[in-house]
């Protein structure tokens, strides 16, 4: 079966603001996003501001009648209770959040989040009708050792093995080679396509239907200059963007590149 000739998957471009922003920046960025995206069709857009600014972002997106959806950068595995400093999915829901990034390499590294812990989050989000944006990807050393696919498979298996491959249905996978995140050293579009196709094929071994439908974003130093080349690849269904999402002009241009490239099939 041929994956990708027919655009069955609606592209998703998501901005991961990480630990950046303040009230003024949130207001300006959302206002400029809403204006810039006016009339842009055929691509879903989400932003994940720091949790602190979700309330403000929700209000501003509503006021601007924007179709941009709200995401979060993390969630705890508990729903309530004595867990100082944590944020539950019910709280995120309360602020209109639908997409939640989990398994980002920065959390895997700095917060020692394991595959098993991330899998718990994934299952919990799915059970509660939220959309996990599951980041997977290999380090520089793993890349050099040709372990990319094994790493991605292991990170996916941690989730699939708890339930069934169908748990991926409706979720988002973000393939983010760690060596490309924030480094300016992006994977080439061809190389990213090769990995995306391999990830999809790995899922297809378990379910063709899930593989055909699951969105696989690329992430890691996506900029306006390289965005269209990624979106032209049949197995790259969008992007998860850090640095370039902090500027409305560059983020809007990348989203437009996705809309143009994906809708021109
Ligand atoms: P970057 O970050 O676009 O700044 O490389 C991507 C990410 O971490 O999701």
């Amino acid at each position: 079966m041929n994956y990708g000739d027919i655009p069955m998957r609606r592209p998703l471009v998501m901005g991961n603001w990480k630990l950046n922003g303040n009230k003024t920046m949130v207001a300006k960025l959302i206002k400029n996003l809403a204006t810039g995206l006016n009339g842009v069709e055929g691509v879903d857009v989400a932003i994940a501001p720091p949790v602190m600014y979700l309330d403000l972002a929700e209000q501003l997106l509503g006021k601007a009648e924007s179709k941009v959806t709200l995401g979060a950068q993390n969630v705890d595995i508990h729903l309530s209770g004595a867990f100082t400093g944590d944020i539950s999915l019910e709280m995120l829901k309360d602020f209109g959040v639908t997409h939640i990034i989990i398994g980002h390499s920065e959390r895997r590294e700095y917060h020692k989040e394991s595959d098993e812990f991330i899998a718990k989050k994934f299952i919990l989000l799915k059970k509660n009708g939220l959309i996990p944006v599951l980041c997977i990807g290999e380090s520089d050393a793993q890349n050099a050792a040709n372990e990319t696919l094994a790493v991605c498979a292991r990170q996916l298996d941690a989730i699939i093995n708890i339930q069934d491959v169908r748990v991926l249905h409706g979720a988002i996978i973000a393939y983010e080679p760690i060596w490309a995140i924030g480094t300016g050293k992006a994977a080439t579009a061809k190389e990213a396509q090769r990995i995306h196709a391999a990830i999809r094929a790995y899922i297809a071994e378990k379910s063709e239907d899930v593989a055909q439908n699951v969105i696989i974003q690329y992430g890691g130093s996506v900029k306006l200059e390289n965005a269209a080349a990624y979106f032209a690849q049949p197995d790259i269904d969008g992007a998860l963007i850090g640095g370039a999402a902090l500027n409305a002009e560059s983020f809007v241009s990348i989203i437009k590149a996705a809309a143009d490239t994906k809708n021109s099939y």
Side-chain angles (χ1 to χ4, degrees):
M1 188 172 288
N2 189 347
Y3 311 119
D5 284 342
I6 308 155
M8 298 154 71
R9 304 175 293 269
R10 199 176 151 83
L12 170 70
V13 178
M14 182 163 183
N16 172 12
W17 293 9
K18 307 192 180 184
L19 185 54
N20 293 294
N22 54 47
K23 285 195 225 172
T24 311
M25 176 269 207
V26 173
K28 202 170 137 202
L29 190 41
I30 289 184
K31 184 167 168 268
N32 291 339
L33 272 184
T35 317
L37 292 176
N38 212 351
V40 178
E41 300 289 341
V43 50
D44 290 330
V45 180
I47 52 168
V51 72
M52 202 71 196
Y53 298 114
L54 287 173
D55 186 12
L56 178 61
E58 186 195 24
Q59 289 178 42
L60 294 170
L61 288 171
K63 222 190 266 173
E65 294 182 9
S66 169
K67 282 188 278 183
V68 171
T69 53
L70 209 46
Q73 300 174 21
N74 185 33
V75 66
D76 189 45
I77 54 167
H78 301 100
L79 294 181
S80 65
F83 303 101
T84 302
D86 285 325
I87 305 286
S88 78
L89 65 87
E90 293 296 346
M91 294 169 184
L92 297 176
K93 261 187 174 174
D94 216 10
F95 289 92
V97 169
T98 52
H99 293 63
I100 297 159
I101 299 169
I102 56 171
H104 193 284
S105 62
E106 286 150 18
R107 294 212 60 90
R108 290 181 192 263
E109 186 183 348
Y110 306 140
H111 298 270
K112 305 283 169 271
E113 293 195 4
S114 66
D115 288 343
E116 292 66 35
F117 185 63
I118 294 157
K120 269 189 195 161
K121 294 187 184 191
F122 188 103
I123 303 293
L124 194 70
L125 292 176
K126 288 289 296 190
K127 261 194 197 145
N128 286 276
L130 290 159
I131 301 172
V133 179
L134 171 72
C135 300
I136 60 172
E138 83 287 5
S139 68
D140 213 358
Q142 289 164 332
N143 183 272
N146 225 353
E147 288 170 7
T148 300
L149 286 176
V151 170
C152 292
R154 189 199 73 217
Q155 292 173 337
L156 286 172
D157 281 348
I159 290 157
I160 295 169
N161 291 343
I162 292 182
Q163 283 200 344
D164 183 274
V165 71
R166 279 168 297 178
V167 77
L168 294 178
H169 193 73
I172 315 280
I173 296 169
Y175 168 61
E176 298 204 308
I178 300 169
W179 46 269
I181 297 174
T183 58
K185 191 179 135 201
T188 65
K190 264 204 168 146
E191 176 61 4
Q193 164 60 25
R194 189 177 71 78
I195 307 301
H196 280 232
I199 292 169
R200 205 179 296 286
Y202 183 73
I203 297 168
E205 283 171 21
K206 297 168 173 55
S207 165
E208 192 75 47
D209 181 48
V210 173
Q212 289 282 358
N213 285 292
V214 73
I215 290 175
I216 309 179
Q217 300 177 304
Y218 170 76
S221 295
V222 176
K223 308 261 176 290
L224 175 59
E225 296 72 35
N226 58 18
Y230 292 120
F231 300 139
Q233 307 301 321
D235 288 291
I236 300 183
D237 309 316
L240 183 57
I241 299 170
L246 294 171
N247 175 289
E249 214 184 315
S250 69
F251 192 49
V252 165
S253 303
I254 292 169
I255 294 159
K256 284 184 176 164
D260 291 348
T261 317
K262 289 294 178 197
N263 295 332
S264 70
Y265 282 169

